[in-house]
Amino acid sequence: MHFQNKVVYQIYTKSFMDSNGDGIGDIPGVTQRLDYLQELGVDYLWMTPFFKSPLKDNGYDVADYTAIDPVFGTMEDVDELIAQAGKRGMGLMFDMVFNHTSTEHRWFQRALAGEREYQDYYIFRDGAPDAPPTNWESKFGGSAWEYVPHLKKWYLHLFDVSQADLNWDNSKVREELKNVLRFWKRKGVKGFRFDVVNLISKPAVLEDDHEGDGRRFYTDGPHVHEYLHELVMDAGIDNYITVGEMSSTSLDNCVRYTNPEEKELSMVFNFHHLKVDYKDGDKWAVMPPDFGVLKELFCTWQEGMQAHQGWNAVFWCNHDQPRAVSRFGDDERYRLESAKMLATCIHLMRGTPYIFQGEELGMTNAHYTAISQYRDVESLNYYKILLERGKTKQEALDILAQRSRDNGRTPMQWTGEANAGFSTAVPWLAPPENYKAINAQSAVADGQSVFHFYQKLIRLRSVTAALR
Ligand code: GLC
Ligand code: CA
């Protein structure tokens, strides 16, 4: 698989382009904008989940892996998108959320109905209502366990209570997930992104964590390499472009995930470089970025992966991160310079660059000032937690303005017209005021724009062996 000379563009489906005037981005909207992406020059399009979902976590809570949520379109729309992208030389990468399902998934519903077979698809533990099996914390705040009174059992959810963790030790679960991959392969998908995939393997015996939130027990867990290898080989995707999202991972594990001899994944995302502005490692404690640490981390990962034939996905932005230009640069006076500098840094490293929608325009944070403007489940949870911890409302809002995932999720800024040209209706999440100046239409027309700078970097990678 040759991915060393490729560039991936990430589409946050809900915020890319709304084709039917309901204020929510959708699949036909992406198809409408393929010419723009072709002009930019990217090779693959990673689309965040648009599968059937109650959308508690904007689609990362999947209720059916092979059906399309009506909010995003239909299966015909997906077929059309794959065909149209293919005509323009671009391949689709779909987002596989295999660590957990929505609690509305039929497997979980059958588990709730008392079917033992389906309870074994998840991580249920017997127990009393006041004694969760362990003290682990959810990554979205609060306990990682939820009690089901009529079953007298707890289930594990490392994320929202509506996202129940799957039991990968059950071979039936692994077979189900292989079938999902086979289904999308037949549709002509060219690659896959695997959501928080280094969390899939939990220890057989679960115990309290007296040092942390539990992550040391299940991060890069006991059978993760074995399960990934099996999944990839059995589903026959070893020649596809694949990327795993690795939460709190280590260099050694990432070498193993991506060294071609292991036949696991093409590449991995790690997030260590995006914690250099977390005070004491706490996302909700802000401090200015430590650029010395940032540089050391990049060196360690670049050299460490190269020395052992590993391969990185290199990136600043995604739908879980604030905008890099606001975070590491100056999004007012030096917005253009900051955006181009950050682009250079990523695109001249060893690895496959990922561009998150709007990054090629130098889009900024949302700069929201009221809690009513936020939509993200994690942000809303943490707003409450911050108030409980004694922050004032203003302090909590200032933290969200820097840290909320909604900063990266505002609608793509297509034009200076109403709703940033994203929709004819009021968008589900408000665009920042600056869309009148910062938008695709004006960037494409301006030879000095961030857009044209990215376009040059993408071309350089495909023609310059040294860059790869
Ligand atoms: C990943 C996704 C994030 C989601 C979480 C749970 O981190 O990128 O958006 O909330 O997994 O699926
Ligand atoms: Ca729509």
Side-chain angles (χ1 to χ4, degrees):
M1 170 78 224
H2 298 286
F3 47 81
Q4 286 82 353
N5 60 344
K6 305 294 191 228
V7 175
V8 183
Y9 187 92
Q10 182 193 349
I11 292 174
Y12 194 65
T13 314
K14 202 175 176 186
S15 300
F16 192 65
M17 181 68 207
D18 173 23
S19 73
N20 62 349
D22 63 358
I24 301 174
D26 47 52
I27 295 158
V30 178
T31 309
Q32 284 175 12
R33 296 293 183 174
L34 287 173
D35 289 337
Y36 166 84
L37 297 170
Q38 187 181 20
E39 189 176 348
L40 181 60
V42 294
D43 304 288
Y44 290 99
L45 308 176
W46 153 27
M47 284 177 70
T48 57
F50 40 74
F51 313 108
K52 198 166 176 297
S53 166
L55 303 176
K56 296 263 165 35
D57 189 21
N58 289 350
Y60 283 92
D61 46 329
V62 180
D64 186 342
Y65 292 105
T66 56
I68 309 304
D69 197 276
V71 145
F72 296 119
T74 62
M75 195 58 88
E76 289 68 43
D77 294 334
V78 171
D79 291 335
E80 177 69 4
L81 171 62
I82 295 173
Q84 291 298 330
K87 278 189 194 157
R88 292 168 179 78
M90 293 180 285
L92 267 309
M93 292 169 75
F94 283 1
D95 206 328
M96 299 291 113
V97 189
F98 284 175
N99 174 68
H100 44 265
T101 73
S102 163
T103 49
E104 290 186 18
H105 196 288
R106 69 180 189 315
W107 302 335
F108 195 82
Q109 288 301 314
R110 295 181 75 164
L112 283 186
E115 289 185 48
R116 271 300 165 100
E117 186 185 347
Y118 286 95
Q119 287 172 5
D120 209 28
Y121 272 42
Y122 295 90
I123 302 177
F124 277 96
R125 290 289 184 273
D126 293 328
D130 54 352
T134 68
N135 65 353
W136 297 1
E137 282 166 38
S138 152
K139 290 176 189 280
F140 288 168
S143 170
W145 293 96
E146 181 72 9
Y147 193 64
V148 184
H150 73 271
L151 296 177
K152 297 194 172 59
K153 287 178 197 294
W154 296 83
Y155 70 87
L156 180 70
H157 62 90
L158 295 183
F159 293 89
D160 189 55
V161 40
S162 65
Q163 294 164 303
D165 282 56
L166 283 166
N167 173 18
W168 276 68
D169 293 332
N170 181 346
S171 62
K172 280 190 205 151
V173 168
R174 305 202 299 275
E175 289 310 312
E176 299 264 18
L177 300 177
K178 289 170 202 169
N179 282 332
V180 173
L181 294 173
R182 292 179 186 123
F183 177 90
W184 290 115
K185 269 177 73 178
R186 285 195 296 273
K187 287 280 178 191
V189 168
K190 298 285 186 242
F192 297 97
R193 181 251 188 199
F194 292 99
D195 191 63
V196 292
V197 76
N198 66 327
L199 310 184
I200 57 174
S201 173
K202 279 82 175 174
V205 178
L206 307 181
E207 47 184 307
D208 278 348
D209 191 347
H210 300 295
E211 291 165 25
D213 61 4
R215 70 183 64 195
R216 65 199 173 99
F217 294 119
Y218 57 74
T219 301
D220 303 313
H223 302 289
V224 65
H225 293 283
E226 183 188 321
Y227 291 160
L228 263 177
H229 175 79
E230 179 191 304
L231 181 80
V232 163
M233 297 313 285
D234 288 2
I237 58 162
D238 48 320
N239 284 316
Y240 283 56
I241 181 170
T242 53
V243 58
E245 185 199 25
M246 303 301 174
S247 167
S248 303
T249 189
S250 70
L251 180 57
D252 288 347
N253 275 295
C254 286
V255 163
R256 187 153 170 210
Y257 290 128
T258 61
N259 180 312
E261 281 178 11
E262 303 282 349
K263 295 204 185 310
E264 295 184 23
L265 300 170
S266 314
M267 63 188 97
V268 284
F269 296 114
N270 82 76
F271 297 91
H272 297 288
H273 64 297
L274 296 176
K275 297 181 179 173
V276 298
D277 51 3
Y278 290 11
K279 203 169 164 216
D280 304 320
D282 178 359
K283 171 168 175 174
W284 307 100
V286 294
M287 69 171 199
D290 185 331
F291 289 103
V293 171
L294 180 66
K295 195 165 143 184
E296 278 165 23
L297 279 167
F298 276 146
C299 284
T300 307
W301 280 81
Q302 287 281 296
E303 293 174 358
M305 290 290 262
Q306 176 155 14
H308 304 283
Q309 288 81 52
W311 194 257
N312 285 305
V314 285
F315 71 105
W316 289 120
C317 295
N318 67 29
H319 62 292
D320 296 326
Q321 299 291 332
R323 293 282 178 180
V325 71
S326 302
R327 184 176 185 182
F328 298 111
D330 174 337
D331 69 4
E332 289 178 7
R333 186 151 171 217
Y334 295 113
R335 192 183 63 86
L336 288 182
E337 292 84 346
S338 301
K340 293 179 186 179
M341 174 275 290
L342 291 164
T344 308
C345 175
I346 289 297
H347 286 250
L348 301 196
M349 281 200 274
R350 179 179 179 277
T352 298
Y354 281 65
I355 302 169
F356 178 58
Q357 65 180 50
E359 185 179 341
E360 79 282 12
L361 307 174
M363 271 176 61
T364 69
N365 277 351
H367 299 300
Y368 293 151
T369 52
I371 192 65
S372 59
Q373 292 172 294
Y374 289 93
R375 298 287 176 273
D376 171 32
V377 54
E378 183 197 46
S379 305
L380 297 174
N381 285 354
Y382 267 96
Y383 180 71
K384 281 192 215 123
I385 294 173
L386 289 168
L387 295 184
E388 280 159 21
R389 288 183 190 164
K391 300 277 182 213
T392 66
K393 285 186 177 166
Q394 192 54 51
E395 285 166 340
L397 285 173
D398 289 344
I399 294 172
L400 286 191
Q402 291 194 53
R403 292 294 147 86
S404 171
R405 306 195 295 179
D406 281 339
N407 284 308
R409 299 177 177 187
T410 57
M412 179 71 175
Q413 295 169 200
W414 292 107
T415 70
E417 286 146 39
N419 307 318
F422 161 75
S423 175
T424 54
V426 175
W428 70 278
L429 183 70
E433 306 281 333
N434 59 28
Y435 72 82
K436 294 194 179 71
I438 306 170
N439 60 67
Q441 195 175 45
S442 54
V444 170
D446 170 7
Q448 297 305 310
S449 67
V450 180
F451 177 88
H452 287 282
F453 194 81
Y454 269 90
Q455 197 183 46
K456 277 181 212 149
L457 284 170
I458 296 165
R459 282 198 197 127
L460 268 180
R461 171 163 298 266
S462 71
V463 299
T464 317
L467 278 192
R468 310 195 283 261

